[in-house]
Amino acid sequence: MKLLALDGNSIFNRAFYGIRLLSASDGLYTNAVYGFLAILRKLMAEDKPDAICVAFDLPAPTFRHEMYQGYKATRKGMPDELAVQLPWLKELLDALKIPRYELPGYEADDLLGAISEKCSQSGWDCVIVTGDRDSLQLINKTTRVKLVSTKMGQTETVEYDEAAFVEKYGFEPSRLVDLKALMGDSSDCIPGVPGVGEKTAMELMQKYGSLDRVYENLNGPDIKPSVRAKLEAGREKALISYKLAKIAKDAPLELDPAANLVKAPDSDRLYRLFTRLEFAKMIEAYGLKPPAEKAEPTDARDGGTLIWADAAPEAVIAACAGSEAVYFACDKALSAFAIITSGGAFTLAEVQPRFIEDFFSGKIKKVCHEAKAVMRRLLELGLSFDGFIYDTALASYLLNPSESGYDLARCAKRLLGREIPAADFDGENALGLNGSFSALDSLKAHALAVRELHAYTRPLLKEQGMEELFNSIELPLCEVLADMEFRGIAVDRAALARYGKTLGEGINGLTAEIYSLAGYEFNINSTKQLGELLFDKLRLPPYGKTKTGYSTSVEVLEKLLGMHPIIEKIMDYRKLTKLKSTYADGLADVIASDGRIRTSFNMTATATGRLSSAEPNLQNIPVRTELGGELRRMFVAGPGMVLIDADYSQIELRILAHLSGDETMIKAFADGEDIHRVTASQVFNTPPEEVTSIQRSRAKAVNFGIVYGISDYSLAQDINVTRAEAKRYIDSYLEKYSGVRRYMEEAVAEARRKGYASTLFGRRRYLPELESKNYNIRSFGERVALNMPVQGTAADIIKLAMVKVRARFRAEGMKAALLLQIHDELIAECPSEEAEKAKDIMEEEMQGVVALRVPLVAEAHAGGSWYEAK
């Protein structure tokens, strides 16, 4: 039998530093958790253990700290971005039913030692997995050690048994402690013998085999006088180092290897955790499905106590017109309906266009789930609509914006405790079967759930102060977005083709240059062939070599820049191929027959209220490079039309100035000064006119980072400075902008007192993390408490601006219409003769949407393409 024992903290750290920072949509960092799981899956596939467990350190001091005050004294704590992930990892291990062990006063190394000892006593084999070489001292006849390293996202493992260790070191594994006693360990602040380094210590160990024998032969002829003097002077430190380095295999750990047998995971819990962390690939890798729904209750078949009737369309319309609210569910084709009115409940199948027109008129006050989808379908059918008074999906979202989804089945389950059938009636055949329910039976259950959700959520919105937010922003925005999705934006197909051709020519030219520099032709897209060229033929340093070959990731290539001219060509080649495949070719594939591209806006995807775009994502068009920016030329106005691009200037910083009341920041905005230059002047104690471009760039990073509660670790990565230097920038910023410092303190305190953070418009985000006993989880909550009021208010402002701009266009009788929203930027289309008026309206409405302590500034420009209008 074989037990796989993982050093949790060691692997967790290596996963964090080996993978770039990743985060969920709400800002929760996830890269270390994801990397740990990837390593775990790799190990399980390679070793196929019978049992598995994970050992963790605890933050409390250990017996080593009591023995030697300097032990690990200079080691820095986990970065917040890493620490906040640890509780999630432990939850995932629990869901995977992998036992984890922690023991006050002992380190994970000691627990691994105790585990290996228990295995040996029980006749089990033990494989220890760690990134720490200290565990090599545990190797014996039944224990092997796998050393893990992660570079550039690639995981490497080197396995040691007794023979492999002796071959490398020249002495038995248990004597690794003796080696460290001589040479010390700077990472753990183990002193060793002063002046004796690794080379000398290895020579002594390979000759004498142990610390005792070294000192027994101290006066022998084979030890140089200079080394002898160091050993004599450092004897006491050698002995204390030995005790510090020796793993305590007798740690009092209660463990039976058989209790760690591999078990099937708790699939439902694992699915929910992966969904929360947005690990879609892990859900697929583990073959997980959404938690099984319970059997449909009988009352959902007939709508509970309602009596469902088949009535003539005219009678249904009459019943609807006399109701204060009408609750309905329908299929995507708008051919089948279940409708609940104050006078009865009705089902209709294969309805006629006249019914659709009457039902979606303003005479009938309608409540449904996900109104925008219905509105867009009506526009596609060439029909107008009015009278939508409530959307239960948006209401559910506002009440808790951190949930993983807001489809009707999930909302009914979460808020009502009701199980309803999934919406399997969305195809063209509305009357097809849905399990044991017909489509109409499902529609009945859905209409009833809409009515119950309306009754449940409406008073809560009012009680929580979000009724105005719902009625003035979220619900009206449904119609705005439905119209934007329906209209789409025109694309110059020929220009896009030329752009793709230009990219292709550039790719061909780079290919020829790369072949010339290489001296032969090969597949540039092949990691294996490219690795062989760079590291075997050209002899460049092989960063990130794995068992399957060399890594040629962008991180590796960036390290190789300047070492050979081929590197820059390969990086340019990759940029062009990405632009061509994703945008030139990818966008060409989704141009409709009318020459326009249509995206879908998601109103319930982010916890802060920001919109997202998908299929395709038009909010992610690359603009930072010249070639990427050229893509904007492909998005054009229709014949006789122009595009208007209106963009808020530094809206989040202006909101921060308003919320904080910081006088320096308010004055800078009021005077129309360059806020980044002002900040650089403050932080670097430099006159504004002497601020350098580098200082301004770093000040800009601090300005925007402060909004997100950025740490010195993240800022250091962003602007390529040391962590200490980044900390100085942040400290200096908060010293100069005392109002911002005060706001940050008060925002966290208020969120902790209320249990949520909110925007100027009352949008809430609940923060249970602030009450956590775990410091790292609390820290995450504090960062969100700072960011939510700023980013959420910016989202509310742009949404309200969209509603007001569209209303103004209509009130003025204009043909101008909004087409796209890219975070703080709006794009509209209008006839050329309306351009100046449309620009004025967009600027006026965007700037006047809310009164702040500083002016909101929006600038609008017109042009024949998005590029020209920008």
Side-chain angles (χ1 to χ4, degrees), residues 394-411:
L394 292 178
S396 301
Y397 165 66
L398 287 181
L399 291 172
N400 189 351
S402 298
E403 294 290 355
S404 58
Y406 297 89
D407 58 84
L408 186 55
R410 292 190 196 189
C411 291

Side-chain angles (χ1 to χ4, degrees), residues 741-818:
R741 180 191 289 276
R742 185 172 58 252
Y743 160 74
M744 294 171 73
E745 294 168 351
E746 292 175 354
V748 172
E750 183 179 11
R752 182 171 285 114
R753 178 172 57 83
K754 292 181 175 180
Y756 61 85
S758 59
T759 69
L760 289 177
F761 293 82
R763 183 186 302 277
R764 293 185 180 186
R765 177 174 177 178
Y766 288 92
L767 294 171
E769 295 91 345
L770 293 175
E771 297 301 319
S772 173
K773 294 180 180 179
N774 184 289
Y775 168 80
N776 302 311
I777 295 177
R778 285 200 312 276
S779 296
F780 170 74
E782 289 168 0
R783 289 195 296 274
V784 175
L786 298 177
N787 166 247
M788 168 61 187
V790 177
Q791 192 181 86
T793 296
D796 290 341
I797 286 174
I798 192 73
K799 284 179 172 180
L800 185 55
M802 294 167 72
V803 172
K804 290 186 173 294
V805 165
R806 183 173 186 265
R808 180 85 177 274
F809 283 162
R810 288 191 162 192
E812 300 280 349
M814 300 171 66
K815 294 182 180 179
L818 290 172

Side-chain angles (χ1 to χ4, degrees), residues 646-825:
D647 195 357
Y648 276 118
S649 170
Q650 299 168 338
I651 185 171
E652 291 189 355
L653 290 179
R654 292 172 189 271
I655 293 168
L656 179 62
H658 172 84
L659 292 173
S660 68
D662 186 274
E663 294 180 2
T664 302
M665 191 174 280
I666 289 173
K667 184 178 186 304
F669 280 123
D671 295 344
E673 296 182 32
D674 178 345
I675 188 65
H676 303 314
R677 184 170 295 277
V678 171
T679 298
S681 174
Q682 295 284 327
V683 170
F684 297 110
N685 293 313
T686 303
E689 64 275 10
E690 296 180 16
V691 168
T692 67
S693 59
I694 292 177
Q695 288 176 325
R696 183 184 181 279
S697 176
R698 290 179 176 176
K700 182 177 180 180
V702 177
N703 267 332
F704 288 117
I706 287 293
V707 175
Y708 295 90
I710 197 168
S711 69
D712 50 18
Y713 174 82
S714 292
L715 180 62
Q717 284 201 326
D718 289 346
I719 62 177
N720 195 28
V721 298
T722 66
R723 193 169 172 180
E725 193 172 358
K727 185 177 187 303
R728 285 199 300 272
Y729 293 164
I730 293 173
D731 290 344
S732 178
Y733 177 99
L734 294 176
E735 180 183 348
K736 303 294 184 182
Y737 290 102
S738 58
V740 175
R741 180 191 289 276
R742 185 172 58 252
Y743 160 74
M744 294 171 73
E745 294 168 351
E746 292 175 354
V748 172
E750 183 179 11
R752 182 171 285 114
R753 178 172 57 83
K754 292 181 175 180
Y756 61 85
S758 59
T759 69
L760 289 177
F761 293 82
R763 183 186 302 277
R764 293 185 180 186
R765 177 174 177 178
Y766 288 92
L767 294 171
E769 295 91 345
L770 293 175
E771 297 301 319
S772 173
K773 294 180 180 179
N774 184 289
Y775 168 80
N776 302 311
I777 295 177
R778 285 200 312 276
S779 296
F780 170 74
E782 289 168 0
R783 289 195 296 274
V784 175
L786 298 177
N787 166 247
M788 168 61 187
V790 177
Q791 192 181 86
T793 296
D796 290 341
I797 286 174
I798 192 73
K799 284 179 172 180
L800 185 55
M802 294 167 72
V803 172
K804 290 186 173 294
V805 165
R806 183 173 186 265
R808 180 85 177 274
F809 283 162
R810 288 191 162 192
E812 300 280 349
M814 300 171 66
K815 294 182 180 179
L818 290 172
L819 301 186
L820 287 179
Q821 185 250 49
I822 300 91
H823 304 310
D824 304 330
E825 179 182 357

Side-chain angles (χ1 to χ4, degrees), residues 391-561:
D391 183 331
T392 52
L394 292 178
S396 301
Y397 165 66
L398 287 181
L399 291 172
N400 189 351
S402 298
E403 294 290 355
S404 58
Y406 297 89
D407 58 84
L408 186 55
R410 292 190 196 189
C411 291
K413 178 69 179 293
R414 280 198 300 259
L415 300 180
L416 308 175
R418 283 277 307 278
E419 304 278 356
I420 64 172
D424 291 341
F425 44 84
D426 289 338
E428 292 299 322
N429 180 10
L431 301 182
L433 292 181
N434 174 28
S436 60
F437 292 83
S438 73
L440 287 179
D441 287 325
S442 295
L443 286 173
K444 292 176 188 178
H446 280 228
L448 181 60
V450 168
R451 184 178 70 166
E452 293 179 354
L453 282 170
H454 178 253
Y456 178 85
T457 59
R458 188 177 179 187
L460 287 177
L461 286 179
K462 185 173 183 179
E463 177 187 318
Q464 296 180 15
M466 289 190 285
E467 195 172 41
E468 180 65 20
L469 171 69
F470 179 88
N471 290 324
S472 299
I473 298 180
E474 295 294 329
L475 188 63
L477 189 65
C478 287
E479 185 174 344
V480 179
L481 294 175
D483 186 61
M484 290 166 62
E485 291 178 359
F486 171 67
R487 290 177 183 274
I489 185 168
V491 176
D492 187 334
R493 192 190 296 268
L496 188 61
R498 289 194 299 271
Y499 178 71
K501 183 179 179 183
T502 299
L503 291 174
E505 291 170 351
I507 292 167
N508 291 337
L510 285 168
T511 300
E513 289 185 71
I514 291 168
Y515 288 165
S516 175
L517 289 167
Y520 64 94
E521 294 187 6
F522 65 102
N523 183 356
I524 303 172
N525 299 314
S526 167
T527 299
K528 182 176 184 296
Q529 293 184 35
L530 182 58
E532 289 171 351
L533 166 69
L534 298 180
F535 308 116
D536 291 338
K537 185 176 184 296
L538 299 180
R539 301 293 183 183
L540 297 177
Y543 300 106
K545 187 174 181 181
T546 68
K547 286 184 177 179
T548 57
Y550 297 102
S551 170
T552 60
S553 66
V554 63
E555 292 86 357
V556 170
L557 294 183
E558 284 175 349
K559 287 188 175 184
L560 297 174
L561 270 174

Side-chain angles (χ1 to χ4, degrees), residues 59 61-62 64-78 107 185-191 244:
T62 69
R64 294 181 179 86
H65 294 86
E66 296 172 4
M67 182 190 307
Y68 181 65
Q69 191 173 5
Y71 183 66
K72 293 189 176 180
T74 60
R75 181 171 290 190
K76 295 180 180 178
M78 286 185 184
E107 298 179 53
D185 185 341
S186 59
S187 65
D188 289 340
C189 299
I190 294 176
L244 292 172

Side-chain angles (χ1 to χ4, degrees), residues 74-86:
T74 60
R75 181 171 290 190
K76 295 180 180 178
M78 286 185 184
D80 289 344
E81 293 82 353
L82 172 60
V84 74
Q85 300 181 55
L86 187 56

